[in-house]
Amino acid sequence: MTSVPLQYYLLLSAILFTIGVIGVLTRRNAIIVFMCIELMLNSVNLTLVAFSAFLGDSTGQILVFFVMAVAAAESAVGLAIVIALFRNKQTVNIDEINILKW
Amino acid sequence: MTFETILFFFVAISAIASALMMITRPNPVKGVLFLIVNFFCLAVLYLILQAQFIAIIQILVYAGAIMVLFLFVIMLLNLEDEAMLTDKKNYKTYIAVALAGGVLIELVASLGLVTNRMTSTISPEMSRLGTVESIGSVLFKDYLLPFEITSMLLLAALVGVIVLAKKKFH
């Protein structure tokens, strides 16, 4: 039985990760930056599942499960921070949220 | 070309296209919708890789719960001045894209190093390992402590979200 080689999955994962990096670095809307972080987490999940499948070991899938739990917690806390920021500054533009930068 | 190969290329190209659309749309609601398309593509890839449990929680947790949370927040904030957030293209954008291209080159260069020892096909026992029964058994036998710690993490996140999003802190 022939199947798609592991390298193709890893290459797709690398491309998706890079798109996520470009989004984080170029977009100014804080919510879209969060979405790009989710995209990067998902591309790493694809790597883990691909290695898990090709090695015949389910540990990678367990790790994906934990990554998803952490991503759920992270996005909930991040969006709460965005709401608190919007309430204080009336913007989600990350260029204007510079109070930590001196 | 087997059916699996054709399906892989179709899904991979739609995943890349939806990711590109997601980072280029000015409207965040459209971005969320394209990201959901991307998550469905990844769920199909997980099914090709025989990881049924991961595929179903990808749709349930990511597309179902997390992205709905994003949509809620976008609609709650009611961002009126969309034009203010549109991105100015300046030299920093090109530097960022060039740096990200460097990351891609590094990742692709590392592909050849690690994959020589891998088998070329999906392991035959994967159809047994990817089921909910098998994952649940491993999760509750070998990874019980991390699983319980995850519940503490979610509880801490829940309390933190309520404290952060409340109107008054006292």
Side-chain angles (χ1 to χ4, degrees):
Chain A
M1 177 190 145
T2 59
S3 61
V4 182
L6 175 62
Q7 281 91 339
Y8 288 14
Y9 288 100
L10 298 183
L11 184 63
L12 173 65
S13 167
I15 293 171
L16 287 178
F17 189 88
T18 309
I19 294 173
V21 170
I22 293 173
V24 167
L25 291 177
T26 57
R27 295 306 301 263
R28 300 271 70 84
N29 188 333
I31 295 172
I32 293 180
V33 171
F34 269 113
M35 278 156 42
C36 292
I37 292 172
E38 298 293 329
L39 183 65
M40 289 156 75
L41 283 169
N42 267 285
S43 72
V44 176
N45 282 352
L46 179 62
T47 308
L48 289 170
V49 174
F51 272 118
S52 163
F54 279 84
L55 290 172
D57 185 349
S58 62
T59 311
Q61 300 191 16
I62 304 288
L63 193 49
V64 170
F65 178 81
F66 289 124
V67 168
M68 282 185 182
V70 172
E74 171 258 332
S75 65
V77 172
L79 290 171
I81 292 173
V82 169
I83 290 176
L85 275 173
F86 187 78
R87 194 172 283 145
N88 284 327
K89 302 195 72 153
Q90 270 71 43
T91 182
V92 289
N93 188 338
I94 53 172
D95 280 341
E96 292 177 29
I97 304 163
N98 53 4
I99 200 155
L100 272 177
K101 190 172 76 183
W102 283 86
Chain B
M1 289 270 274
T2 58
F3 173 71
E4 191 192 324
T5 316
I6 297 168
L7 184 65
F8 173 82
F9 279 108
F10 177 72
V11 173
I13 289 167
S14 22
I16 293 171
S18 59
L20 281 174
M21 291 293 274
M22 191 270 282
I23 66 163
T24 49
R25 292 308 95 186
N27 187 344
V29 176
K30 283 181 188 160
V32 169
L33 295 179
F34 278 113
L35 193 54
I36 291 173
V37 173
N38 187 26
F39 287 170
F40 270 94
C41 294
L42 284 179
V44 174
L45 286 176
Y46 295 157
L47 279 181
I48 296 175
L49 287 166
Q50 314 261 331
Q52 306 144 26
F53 173 68
I54 299 297
I56 199 68
I57 65 167
Q58 169 83 11
I59 291 174
L60 282 180
V61 176
Y62 258 118
I66 298 183
M67 296 328 285
V68 170
L69 192 65
F70 272 90
L71 272 181
F72 267 144
V73 171
I74 291 168
M75 290 172 179
L76 187 71
L77 293 185
N78 191 18
L79 305 170
E80 293 152 10
D81 203 355
E82 293 264 337
M84 201 183 66
L85 280 172
T86 52
D87 306 275
K88 311 175 283 289
K89 279 198 176 48
N90 56 13
Y91 69 98
K92 284 179 187 166
T93 310
Y94 299 114
I95 294 176
V97 172
L99 284 175
V103 171
L104 179 63
I105 289 168
E106 282 180 21
L107 288 173
V108 172
S110 69
L111 282 186
L113 298 177
V114 288
T115 52
N116 294 332
R117 287 163 296 165
M118 301 289 160
T119 52
S120 58
T121 55
I122 292 174
S123 174
E125 66 229 76
M126 217 34 227
S127 54
R128 188 180 52 80
L129 284 176
T131 57
V132 180
E133 185 187 359
S134 160
I135 296 284
S137 149
V138 176
L139 195 60
F140 285 106
K141 278 180 188 155
D142 303 340
Y143 294 91
L144 185 59
L145 183 64
F147 183 73
E148 299 292 345
I149 293 172
T150 306
S151 71
M152 294 306 293
L153 173 81
L154 289 173
L155 179 67
L158 190 67
V159 175
V161 165
I162 293 171
V163 170
L164 276 172
K166 242 172 40 168
K167 253 199 176 73
K168 298 268 184 244
F169 279 87
H170 46 78

